[in-house]
Amino acid sequence: MLFIACIQNLTVVTKAGYLSATDVEGFDENKDYVKINDKSFHAVSAKVIESQISKSLERLKTDKLDIFMINGPERMLMAKNRGYSSTQLYKDLGETFKYLDAQVANGTIGGYGLCSNTMALPSAVDHVSLSQVLDACSKPDNFVAVEAPFNIFEREVAVADGSKTVSDIAKENGIHLMTNRPLNAIANGQIRVLVNHALGGGDTEGSRSSERELMDKMSKSFDKVSTLESDMLSELPLQEDSLTAKFVWGQVLSENLSRLSQNHFAARHYLSQQVLPAVEKDIKILENYAAELEDDRVHAFDDWINEYRESVRVLADDIVGYAYIDTLRKNSELDRILNALSPTLSKQNGHGLYSPLSVKVLRLLLAHEQVGTVFTGMRDPIYVQDALKAAEESQTNPLGQDDIDEIWRCPIFV
C-alpha cells in the first residue's frame, strides 16, 4: 500500500495481485488465480480484485480509494497450475476493467491503473504492452496511472532510443506515470543499490578505518573456520574420506572470494540459500557419524559442530559486508561521474546527507518532465531525510536540460 503526499491533499493508492495461500482460499484455481509456486499465487480476475479492494478499504478505514493498481500482471504468464497466454491475460484484464469501471461509477475508487516490471521491455517474454492494455479497456478515461521501474540503469520507461516509450504513450493518453526502484537498479543482470554512505565515520579517514576493520574481521573469520576444519580432519579416520572431503568450506569460499565480492546481493543469496544449507547437511552427516561412536569423543564432536556452525555463519556475514564495500566503491565512482556530467549536481551540498548519490539520482528522475511520481523506500529516517533533500533541491536548484541530456547520453548507464 502506498501513500502519496500531494501538497495539502492526500492521495491514497493501493495495489493487488500478489497473493498468499490464505488469500486464495475459497477461489477457483482454474479460473480465478494462477499458482506461481507452493507459497505464491497471482490474480487479475475481478472476483479476487473485488475481495482485495474490500480488504484494503477495511484496513484503511475508508470508503474510497483514489487509485487502485493491478500489480505485476506479467506474473500470470508464470502459471504452474494451468496454461496461460498473453491473449488470455489481456482478455482477463478487460473483464476486470469493466468491474473497476463500475467501482469508479459508484465512487469506491477514483480511477485505476497497472504496475508492471516488464511494460517498458518489448523483448521480454513476459512483456505487458501498455497499448494492448489500453485496447482492452472499454472506458480508458478511468485508466489513470501506470507504474514501472526507472533509474539511471533501467531507463527504458522514459528515455527514448528512437522508439515510443511507455512515458510517451502515457502522455498521449493523459495517464499519470509513477516510477519505482529509483535506488535499486538492475545493472548487468545484478541488483545494485545506488547508495554511497560513509562507513564508520562521516569523513574519508573514518571510512577507510572502518573498511580496514571489516577486512581484518573477515580475515580472522577465515582463519577461524580453516582452523576448525583442520582440527576436524585430524580427528577423523583416514578411511572416512566422504566426511573429510566435506569440511573444506573455508577453502572453497576463499578461492571464490573475488567473485563473491563483485555483488553483495548475489553473495548474500548464494551464501544464505546454497552454502549455509549445504553446510547444515554436512553437519547432519557428521552428527550421525558421531552418534555411532562409543567413547567420549561424542561430546567433543558436539562442541566442534556448534562452534563451526556459528563460525561459518559469521564468515558468511563478513563476506557479504566485504562485498558491500565494493558496491560502495563503485557508487562513489558513479557519484564522481555524475558530478563531472552535471554542473548542477556537482554543486550539491552533501553535508548531513546519508547518501549524496541517492539524492542526485532522485533529483535526476524527478527532473524528467514526463514522470509524475517517484516512489522510494522510507523505512528509515535517514532515507526520508535524503528524499526530502532531493525534493527540495528539485524545487530550489532544478537540473537544466543540458544536465539531464548529458547524463542520459552517457554510455556507462546503458
Side-chain angles (χ1 to χ4, degrees):
M1 187 163 39
L2 306 163
F3 297 95
I4 311 172
C6 299
I7 310 176
Q8 296 179 340
N9 299 318
L10 186 71
T11 299
V12 180
V13 184
T14 188
K15 59 176 73 170
Y18 288 72
L19 305 170
S20 66
T22 302
D23 292 325
V24 299
E25 290 179 357
F27 293 105
D28 187 343
E29 69 172 323
N30 293 314
K31 62 180 182 179
D32 293 330
Y33 66 89
V34 300
K35 179 178 180 180
I36 307 301
N37 55 49
D38 291 339
K39 297 182 179 180
S40 181
F41 306 83
H42 212 86
V44 299
S45 70
K47 190 174 181 181
V48 176
I49 294 300
E50 179 182 11
S51 173
Q52 292 293 299
I53 288 178
S54 177
K55 291 177 180 178
S56 286
L57 292 170
E58 182 179 349
R59 286 193 295 267
L60 290 168
K61 301 186 187 307
T62 184
D63 57 2
K64 180 177 181 179
L65 302 171
D66 294 302
I67 304 176
F68 172 78
M69 306 289 284
I70 295 177
N71 195 13
E74 63 270 17
R75 278 169 51 88
M76 297 292 292
L77 303 176
M78 300 166 60
K80 297 294 189 294
N81 60 319
R82 58 189 170 100
Y84 198 91
S85 65
S86 295
T87 300
Q88 185 65 48
L89 174 60
Y90 295 119
K91 179 180 178 182
D92 287 349
L93 285 173
E95 292 300 313
T96 299
F97 290 157
K98 292 177 183 178
Y99 161 74
L100 293 174
D101 288 332
Q103 300 309 299
V104 173
N106 66 27
T108 301
I109 61 175
Y112 55 86
L114 184 143
C115 312
S116 172
N117 289 330
T118 65
M119 194 187 305
L121 305 173
S123 62
V125 295
D126 56 348
H127 171 59
V128 173
S129 165
L130 178 55
S131 295
Q132 289 182 259
V133 167
L134 291 174
D135 288 343
C137 190
S138 57
K139 294 185 177 181
D141 286 347
N142 290 334
F143 192 99
V144 298
V146 291
E147 180 185 337
F150 183 41
N151 52 65
I152 57 176
F153 290 102
E154 297 172 275
R155 50 171 53 184
E156 297 87 354
V157 72
V159 178
D161 60 357
S163 58
K164 187 175 291 187
T165 65
V166 167
S167 65
D168 292 330
I169 299 173
K171 184 177 181 180
E172 291 171 0
N173 291 274
I175 296 170
H176 185 76
L177 175 61
M178 303 187 288
T179 65
N180 56 38
R181 286 218 312 261
L183 307 178
N184 289 281
I186 296 180
N188 299 317
Q190 295 183 324
I191 298 174
R192 179 165 170 180
V193 181
L194 299 174
V195 298
N196 65 332
H197 62 85
L199 287 171
D203 60 349
T204 302
E205 189 57 38
S207 249
R208 289 174 180 168
S209 175
S210 182
E211 181 177 334
R212 286 194 296 269
E213 290 173 0
L214 282 172
M215 294 179 71
D216 288 344
K217 186 174 182 297
M218 181 181 65
S219 179
K220 291 176 181 177
S221 293
F222 267 116
D223 290 343
K224 180 68 176 294
V225 170
S226 296
T227 298
L228 286 169
E229 290 176 342
S230 178
D231 291 345
M232 179 50 62
L233 289 177
S234 67
E235 290 294 323
L236 292 171
L238 293 177
Q239 62 268 28
E240 294 294 339
D241 54 346
S242 61
L243 274 177
T244 58
K246 291 184 179 300
F247 296 101
V248 291
W249 286 105
Q251 178 182 341
V252 170
L253 294 176
S254 177
E255 291 175 350
N256 288 277
L257 183 60
S258 61
R259 294 176 60 191
L260 290 170
S261 67
Q262 293 175 11
N263 185 279
H264 77 281
F265 268 103
R268 184 169 60 188
H269 184 271
Y270 170 67
L271 292 166
S272 64
Q273 301 300 314
Q274 296 188 48
V275 172
L276 294 182
V279 169
E280 282 300 319
K281 289 181 180 179
D282 292 344
I283 287 175
K284 184 63 177 177
I285 294 172
L286 181 61
E287 287 176 331
N288 292 336
Y289 167 81
E292 297 178 357
L293 298 177
E294 298 179 353
D295 52 36
D296 294 337
R297 287 186 299 164
V298 174
H299 296 299
F301 273 104
D302 288 341
D303 292 341
W304 183 93
I305 286 171
N306 291 333
E307 188 173 7
Y308 183 72
R309 177 187 282 120
E310 176 62 15
S311 296
V312 173
R313 185 195 64 76
V314 170
L315 174 58
D317 289 343
D318 290 344
I319 291 174
V320 173
Y322 177 73
Y324 189 59
I325 292 174
D326 188 67
T327 295
L328 293 179
R329 283 200 201 97
K330 292 175 181 175
N331 286 345
S332 292
E333 178 61 26
L334 185 57
D335 195 343
R336 286 190 288 271
I337 291 173
L338 289 177
N339 286 340
L341 293 174
S342 167
T344 306
L345 290 180
S346 68
K347 297 176 184 177
Q348 175 177 291
N349 181 6
H351 180 69
L353 298 179
Y354 171 69
S355 170
L357 173 63
S358 300
V359 174
K360 291 171 184 176
V361 170
L362 290 173
R363 289 177 63 188
L364 175 63
L365 303 183
L366 288 168
H368 197 290
E369 62 179 3
Q370 294 182 24
V371 174
T373 302
V374 177
F375 288 124
T376 184
M378 292 191 176
R379 289 172 291 183
D380 192 295
I382 54 178
Y383 304 156
V384 177
Q385 292 164 11
D386 280 1
L388 290 174
K389 177 66 173 178
E392 177 187 339
E393 290 282 347
S394 295
Q395 295 294 319
T396 61
N397 192 23
L399 294 176
Q401 194 60 47
D402 289 342
D403 296 288
I404 298 169
D405 292 343
E406 190 69 25
I407 292 171
W408 289 127
R409 281 197 298 264
C410 183
I412 193 172
F413 305 129
V414 177

